[in-house]
Amino acid sequence: GKRAEGPRPSPRGAWEPVQLVENFCTDRDDEIRATDAPERFYDWQLADKSGAAMDMDEDGGGAGAVDAPLTEEEEEEAMWIMGRVPEIAAEFFAGPNDAAADAGGASGAAAAEVGLRREDGEDDATYVERRQRAVVESIVRALRCMKKDKLEPGFIRRYRKDVVNSPAVRSNLYNVMDEDAEWDRLGAARLKVEGVLDAFASDARSEEAARKGKDSEKAAEETLARLKEDMARAQEKLDETLKEEERINVELEGLKDVGEEDKKDDDDDDDDELFGDDDDDDDDEKKQKKAQKSNLQSHLTTVKELLNVRAESVAQLTNSLKEAEERAASADAAAADEAAAAAEASVALESSRKMCRAKLWNMADYSVYLSGLTDVRHVSDVRGYLGLLKEGNDAVRAKGDPGGAAAAAERKKRSRRFDRDYYRTCVSEGLRAVSYRFLLAPFRVGIKLEDNLTLSNGFQYDKTLPGDDGGNGQDGSGGGGEYETGPRKWVSPVIPESDPTEFASDLVGSGELVLLSTTNQSAAGGNEENDAAMTDREMQDPLRGCRYVAAMELAYEPRVRRHLRSIYRARAVLSTRPTKRGSDNIDAFHEHFGLHLLRDKPIKEHFPMEEQEREERRSQGLSPDEQRELDEEVRRRERDSCVQYLNLLKAEAGGDVRVHAPLPFRGPPDERWYDRDDDFWKSRDGQNLSPLLSELERVYLPPDGDADAWNDERKKVLRMALTQFLLPQFESETRRDLRDAAVKVGSESAAESLRVMAMEGPYRPSHLLGENRFVVPTRDLPIVGVCVATDSKEATFLAAVTNAGEMGDHLAIPSGTRVDGDKMREKVVAFLMQNRPAAVVVGTGGGLESRTVARKLGDLLTQATERWNNRYIQGQDEDDDDFESRLAEFRRMYPDDGDNDDDEESQWKCNVDLVDDNVPQLFGRSIRGKKEFPDAMVNLKVAVSVARHAKDPLGELSYTYSVASDAGVFGTEMLFLNVHPLQQLLPKTLLLRKYERVLCDAVAEVGVDVNAACHHDHLHGLLSFVPGLGPRKANSLRQSLVRIGSVVSSRKDLLQKRLVGPVVYNNAVAFLRVRETEQLSGQYLHPLDDTRLHPDVYHRQNWAVKIAIDALELGEGGGGDKDDLAMTALRDVMEDSHNEVKRLFDATKAEWESAYGPTFNVGAWDPKVNVPADSWQDKVEELDLDTFAEMIEQRGEGRWLSHLLMIKWEFRLPFEDPRKPMEPLGGDKLFRLLTGETDSSLRCGREVTGKVVRNGDFGSRIKLEGNIPGFVPLRNLADEHVESAEEVVSVGQVITCVITEVKKDHMCVDLSLKKEDMRKLPSAWERPSSLPPLDGHFDAGAARRIEAARLKEREERLEALELTLGATRIRDGDGGGAGQDGGKKKRTGRLTRRACAHPAFRNAKHEEVDGELRDGGDTMVGEALVRPSSKIADSLALHWMVRPGAVKVFEVTEEDKDTDASIGNKLKIKNEVYGSIDEILGRFIAPMNDRVEEVTHHRKFLDKLEDDLDDVLRRQKKATPSGIFYNLCWNEQYPGYLSLRFIMSNTPRNHIVSITPEGYGWGKKTFSSMDRLLNEFKKNPRGVSSGGGGGASQSQSRGASSSSVALSSRMQQSMSSSRMMDNTGGGGGSRPSRWGAKSGAAAAASTGSSLGGGSSSHYGGTSIGTASAASTMTSVPTSVGGASSGSGGGGRGNRWGAPAARGGESGGWNNGQRQPPPPSMPPPPARYGQAPPSGPPPSFGGGGGGQGQGQGQGQQGGYGQQQRPPPPPPPGYPYQQPPPPPGAPQYPPRVQ
């Protein structure tokens, strides 16, 4: 059958991930393209919270859901956003007169910007209320437009003015978006805290249920016991009742006859009554018996009834007891479970007592408090407090149940937070319950503190909270009842019967208080002496744990933190002090001067004004202007302070300044406060804590007083809470907030700088400067860009760019060739005439040479324009034939470009100008440049970009942003532009987001030609910033047009051809221009498609056409096609309005010149600003658009006034360019661009070094660094009068002088050599006005004291130098017989000091310099210090800190020294010569720092130890056995070297890679980049050839293997100091061998070979004989086992058994052939294996030469000869199988 076909693999699988990102082919890109929504909204993820009914009406005018009533949540959020955006708040709180003035002063186009117009007769209060309501509604509607309608801010700002009618809201839409995201974060934080509160309530309920379960169990036991007792009592009572019944019956039996006698007595009574006879005594006795019997009978009845009841009770009790006993019997089977449950219930009760819930939190109170919080930090405070309580509660549960889940969770938590171990221990031991017997509950302290600080009448003790009804609330313990009722809840408990000592002793005795060892934090805040003195007292204090728990919980209580934080912010100050490095470096010319000695600057100046302070200022009765000025002053101060703190962060990161944010210190001010050590600044003892302590004591101490001992305990708690917890956290928070505020202001400043760059208009040639840009717009002009080479090996390029921005032609001026030289003059003139540009722009990247080239090109351009413009003029000596011949040749050489060549009046006008080439220089070196011009030179690409930037700066900036990084992040190239001086200190993500928003606004203002952007790469970036589009959607639009092979001829085509979706179309269409092109020539184009009008007003609604027809009074009738009528009306009305603009310009110019002469500023005239509304006389001005807008609104079609006003202005100025033309460079900016110097780097008083180039009659010409020309007048050459400059200086001499004046217009500086100027203090020179003014809190006196001390030290050094120089001259002059030639005696001793004032020079020892670098930490990485060498005279040691803790040392040889104490004029490192220490730092250290930066960011670099990296490689090898895996890390043994570690079989191996200024060294080769080195490594992972130093053999005998391990440590010690200095030695002396072995003579060169006699062992062997070669100590091994074999007289056999070499021959792999020595390198570390060489296969066995000291008599073995196993490797060296013989098939594994 037919084979089933599986799914085809995606073609994307064959692409690299970077290619997928670059071409927008990832799954995320597909999803973005498929979604009909603005691309930027995909990442912003704006969620809709505005309700269900949010559908926009089809008219698009803002009616419908956007105008729906505001919900309560929306209004709350809008008010919150208003308070956080200063501009919106200023509009909200503005007075009625401010708004009225703004509305009344608006005219023309500005009228559309008015937010809310005041109605006639409306009072101030009503108007202000209505305007404030409008601001809130604008915020809500803007969010609705973005979330529901998916409209971008750029669209809303321009096309939803009638809906979002607040100008402040429209101007801050991005801020509204950011604050909306912050509001969501606040809501999410609230939800998290509410979850924690619910968890607390659930825990409380669980413990209550457990307590009730314990009670029920106890009740069952009590019931059983009670039943038994009741049964016994009931039986006893029943028995008593039976006995009573028996007794009564017995008595009644004795009175049985009384009844019979009664009957007889009745008869007798009758007789007696009849006869009158009665016996009273007998009668009384009978009555008594009768009564007695009757009573007994009655009692018997009662007893019987009682007997029945008691018998029944006994029966019931018997049954109940039986049932209870049965239940108890059945419970015996589950006795263990019940016991456990009983234990848990018991633990729960004990835990509840320790947790003290009622004293720490109140569910209802915190819920209400949480709902009113509007700051994420305050919500986080609540969460932190509850989290702390939860940790303590968990510790209590874990203590009661060590094996339970709570204990396991506690163990995990303890592993995370060691700083709370002591707290958890104290709480688990019940110290929390003890502490609140005499301390007030934290949450009640917070409530009292809040009421005292926020309420006018303060806290009232009759305040009640939910649960304060007298019960025990949520506290299961029920403790504390003596103070938890009524107002006493708000007072700290008082214990009058005992003092703290007795109280603690009683609790310790009862076991309720446990003594715990103290924590390190308990003594924090004091110095070491106080700590030592207080240790014993603290250990003896049993209440210290209670105070610690209470202090920590008080410090975390949210209300306490909130209000104490506010007090701290109002009181804290910012102080800075210089470090040791800063004291040495910072002077009046340093960039950080003024920042290093700030003293007690209030921190609140860095933050927006508090609401309370703002309200106080509003209530001062200031006028609107005064209030506006005050607000502006506060905002300016805030911005300046934030920028200042950003500079402080830079200074602190550089190690020059330390920043502190303490409270003010007590006591008198100290003049030398900046010399205090770190302990003083960290200590809280000297700070003024009274503002915080007084507020706390006011609410914490009992108001009626208490014993001093108890109050002292409470004060200890307060002080501990402040010093150990609150103040350190407040200072850390403040530093973080200062940084965030500074970053925010810095990013806004950077964005504003980019906005200025983006809104710079196209370059306007000089011949157009006499015309106004609104009358004669700047068209697309051909321009020639020039890039002047800065490298002597590169060429200067001229590139001609066409109208569309494409490169047409170019001309290269080779290096060393003058532009106006004989060879190039005619070429340049011909090039200019062939291209005939409108302007020639020269980039400033060439420095001062650019200025020279521009001047020369100006002369050549004058010649070219004269030739062209005079081409039709016949010469006097030229006949007609010659003239026609010349003209024909002229036309052939310079063909017509489409202009009327026969028009003799046409003139070619052109000028040369300098332009900033910051952006073009980036293009020339970017990926974009390589893709667009793959074969072009860098300078040629820069020249093209210079011309393009002059044509459209915004297009080039957008082009720069449009490239994605490997991670898919756009705009990373923008980070390399010099946009803002502090941009490197700002977060890259934030900076790119700001940049993107700026470009979005700029593109929305300018608009984009959709066809040009889709057909030209350099303009395509503009499409990415069109509202609704983005990089992916713009690329999709471009590809769609290419696919259908057409252009956009109408805006409707975008939707009809489905190039974009409806939502994207609605956002983007009004910003896309459809202009006439070659492909559209002859086609019908709608005139409004090249305007800012949205198609809604001329396609969807015909209001634009109606306005045009009404303006021309054409009426609705008229025959013919309506479309033709509409188009005719539109063109006619637009032409009429354009003519009106011309008329107004001419009228304004004539009126001005008639009054003030020919001084009218043509370029500054703007018809939107400078023309009153009543001056317009065009047709459209006659229409009442306000009434028309009201009619539309009354018909229910929405509000369209802003659109109607836009129609009027687009008729007048269709899509006018809002950008002002590019300003010509000059003044400070031109000086900075050409010289690279600013007022901070080049100013009066600064010492500079230069070379004398010419001496003249009036002084000396000097060339400073950067080729800046300088001039020393004759009067400033010396203090005394001199006749000529040659008396002081000579040509070619290098001098140091002082700047006295900077002449920026002349691009030069005036200098002075006078001692008066040289000795003048830096602070005495005038500070340039362009620099930021010194802060008012800058301690100028301290700066002067530091400066005086530095000057004194300098004078002492100079004095010592003079003494040294004098002594040297005396020594040199003495002893005429020192030499036969009378020359200077050569110095042979060592000099440990130099007279050098360079900031990088130290007259110190090796350990001191190393210590200074290492102590500096990360701030000193990349720095280098120089010191005199202690080993060799006339040499220096250069210490370079490669990375933290790793310092590499180089030897610097001095030559051409003026004196013994001076630094040599020539400094040599190896074979490279440098002229100064600065040159060493610039040409030697700086390139190596770049190499370190490159390699640490390389994808194969891992910052791991070598052993750890080996483990990683083993794991990778185990996962993929067929691959070779490799990575880079730092070499641990040799500082400054890299370890290239790889694994081929099972054992990781390595190569050593060195870092040099030229690149990375591996073997003998140097690679310019790490990628090139790795590519070479992939070709041969085992190592480079012997020529490259990677595969040389090792001459070590088998017998010497045991000594190699013993001597390896000695070898490592000899190299551990990393002092890589070249030591030269002669042949006579005996010196230690570089390999760690004892040598009878100097060791051989870097190969370890002895050239004279004897043999050398690489690993511990001895060298015998003498050597004549030099021994070097400059390098490390370049590969594993890369040492070469020994060579000498009697060489030992190598370890593989090869024959030893005879005298002078090499053994081993060299086969007796002499090999050039590989680069100098020490042996590999002992643990590294020996890689087999890459030469011939080894011979197992060999001859006698392989066994000891043979003389080469052994016979070389090979494969098939004497096959024996290889010898065992030395201890610690892993054995590696040798490679197979030649010819054997090899399949090397793939390198990963």
Side-chain angles (χ1 to χ4, degrees), residues 115 191 204 309 420 606 652 713 767 782 784 850 1158 1214 1222 1318 1484 1495 1785:
L191 290 177
V309 171
R420 292 183 180 176
H606 293 77
E652 191 174 28
E713 293 294 324
H767 65 273
V784 168
S850 295
M1222 187 180 294
M1318 298 289 288
F1484 186 74
V1495 76

Side-chain angles (χ1 to χ4, degrees), residues 801-807 932-933 944 948 951 1016 1018-1019:
V801 173
T802 63
N803 296 350
E806 299 293 337
M807 184 178 72
E932 188 174 358
F933 304 106
V944 173
R948 288 176 175 175
K951 289 174 61 64
H1016 300 289
H1018 66 281
L1019 296 177

